[in-house]
Amino acid sequence: MSKCPLCFSDLDPTRARFHCANSECSEESTAEPLAEAYLGNKFTVKQHREEVRPSDFRGTWRPSGDQFCTSCGHEMERACTVCRYQIPQDIGESDVTCVALAGARATGKSVSIGVMRLFLEKLIEELRSSLNFEQRYSRTDEREEYIEQILTGNIYPPTPPGTARSVMYSLGQIGGKRRYLAIRDIAGEDLEVNSSRINLSFLGRADLIIFLFDPLAIRSIRDALENLIPPQERPSAEQEPQRVLQNVLRYIGSGRPHLAVCLAKVDALQTLAGHNNPISPVFANPGTTLVRESTQRTQGAGPGYDVDAAELLSEEVRSTLMLLNGTVIVNMVENPANKTVLPHRFFATSALGDAANGQVLPPRGITPFRVLDPLLWIFHKKGIIPAIVSAR
Ligand SMILES: Nc1nc2c(ncn2[C@@H]2O[C@H](COP(=O)(O)OP(=O)(O)OP(=O)(O)O)[C@@H](O)[C@H]2O)c(=O)[nH]1
Ligand SMILES: [Mg+2]
Ligand SMILES: [Zn+2]
Ligand SMILES: [Zn+2]
C-alpha cells in the first residue's frame, strides 16, 4: 500500500497532484493549510496542477511523466492529494510502511528512533538491499536529531511540541517491490494534552503505532527501584501511561493500525532480578524471553521472523504487566471503550540498556535490547520478512 509520509493517507489511485517548490519562481505563493496543520509550520507552494485518471481508463493508471512549471521551467514535485505535502515521484509503484512513536514525555521515543535506525540498516543489508535517508520527504535532519547523540554520548533534548518530526527511508527493492519506511516521532507533551496544536489524526492511518510506556511511571515499581538507579523525576498525572494511551486511542478513532504496546526501559526492571521484590522472579528466570535477545534468525539466505517466539514474548510481557499493576493498560487494549480491538502485541524494549547519567548517555556505551522487535512484527505482517518455524 502506498501512503503519504506526512499524513499517512492512502494514495489516491485516480488523481495525481504536482506543485512547483522553487523558491525563486515568480509565481505567487499559495498556503496549504492542511499541510501546515500536520507540520505545525508554514507551508506554501507555487504553481500547482492535478491530473485525473480518464473515466474510461482500465488497469493501473500512472500520471504522465515529468511535469514542469510553466513560470520558471523547474521540474514539479509530486504532492499528496490530501495534505499536499511532497511525496516521491515513484510512490504509485511503491509500498510505504507508516510508523508512529507514541508515549508520554521521556519514554524514550526519540532515542528508540536513533537506535532502531542503526539496527535497521543491518537488517536491510541482510535482505540484500540498502537503507537510504530521504531528506526531501523528511521534516527532520536525522543525523542532528537522532544519530549524533548516540555518537557523542549526549542525551536527547525533549522533542518540541506543536511541530512535526518525521523521517523517511528508502529500503530499496525487497520482495519485488520498491519499499519506503516513514516514521513520525511525536512530542510526549502533544499526547499528554487533550488537544494538540498539530493534527495527529495520522495515528489512525498508521500501519503501526509503537506505544512506549515507562514502567517507572508506575509508583510501586519506582519505589522498589529507588536506591538502585539514578533518581527519576516523578511523573505528573498527565504523564500516566493510561492517560496518554487514552489520548492515543482517541486519535486512532475508527482507524485500524497495529498497536505495539512496549514496556520501555526494561533494563530498569532487569536490575530487579537480584533483589528481593515480588517481580524479581520474572526477570531472574533465565528461560524468560524478557531477558533474552531478539529471536530474529536466518531463513535460507536472509533474515526471518520467528512467529512462535514473538507470540510467547507478547504473552510473557502481558502477564508481567498484570503482575506490575498494569492491568489497566491491558484492559484498555483488549477491551476498549469503542469495542474495536486493534491488532496488538506486547513488547519489552530498552533503547539504551542502562540509565543515562545526568546529561550523558550510559558512560560504558549503549546496549539496546529488542528495540527492533515492533518493526520486525509489521515487516513480517507486510511480507517484507518471511516467517520461520522455530525448532522445538
Ligand atoms: N534506563 C533507560 N533510560 C532510557 C532509555 N531510553 C531513554 N531513556 C531515558 O529517557 C530519556 C528521554 O528519552 P527520549 O528519547 O528523549 O524521550 P522521548 O519519549 O522522545 O521524550 P519527548 O521527546 O519529551 O516526548 C533519555 O534521555 C534517557 O535518560 C532506556 O532504554 N533505558
Ligand atoms: Mg522525543
Ligand atoms: Zn515555478
Ligand atoms: Zn499527505
Side-chain angles (χ1 to χ4, degrees), residues 103-112 155-159 185-189 264-268 349-356 361:
R105 262 175 282 177
T107 44
K109 299 179 292 296
S110 300
V111 176
S112 298
I155 61 160
Y156 287 62
T159 305
D185 192 4
I186 306 176
E189 231 178 302
K265 306 187 185 178
V266 75
D267 55 278
T349 58
S350 168
L352 296 178
D354 202 354
L361 293 179

Side-chain angles (χ1 to χ4, degrees), residues 4 7 80 83:
C4 167
C7 73
C80 169
C83 75

Side-chain angles (χ1 to χ4, degrees), residues 4-9 38 80-85 87:
C4 167
L6 183 69
C7 73
F8 289 1
S9 299
Y38 280 106
C80 169
T81 51
V82 179
C83 75
R84 306 198 170 164
Y85 190 64
I87 52 179

Side-chain angles (χ1 to χ4, degrees), residues 20-22 25-27 46-47 69-74:
C20 171
N22 175 18
C25 179
S26 59
E27 200 145 319
K46 303 286 172 110
Q47 191 175 106
C69 175
T70 54
S71 288
C72 68
H74 267 241

Side-chain angles (χ1 to χ4, degrees), residues 228-249:
L228 307 176
I229 53 167
Q232 306 286 312
E233 251 180 65
R234 182 177 285 261
S236 64
E238 295 77 40
Q239 286 173 284
E240 278 175 3
Q242 58 271 38
R243 182 93 174 244
V244 177
L245 182 57
Q246 196 173 34
N247 286 339
V248 171
L249 293 175

Side-chain angles (χ1 to χ4, degrees), residues 331-364:
N331 289 347
M332 283 173 77
V333 174
E334 294 183 351
N335 190 16
N338 70 359
K339 300 280 172 235
T340 312
V341 182
L342 299 174
H344 63 275
R345 282 263 171 92
F346 297 95
F347 294 85
T349 58
S350 168
L352 296 178
D354 202 354
N357 193 351
Q359 292 302 300
V360 289
L361 293 179
R364 275 168 290 140

Side-chain angles (χ1 to χ4, degrees), residues 53 79 89 145 169 172 174 224 239 267-268 307 313 349 356:
R53 182 176 74 180
Q89 295 285 2
E145 291 291 335
Y169 296 101
I174 302 174
Q239 286 173 284
D267 55 278
V307 179
L313 174 78
T349 58

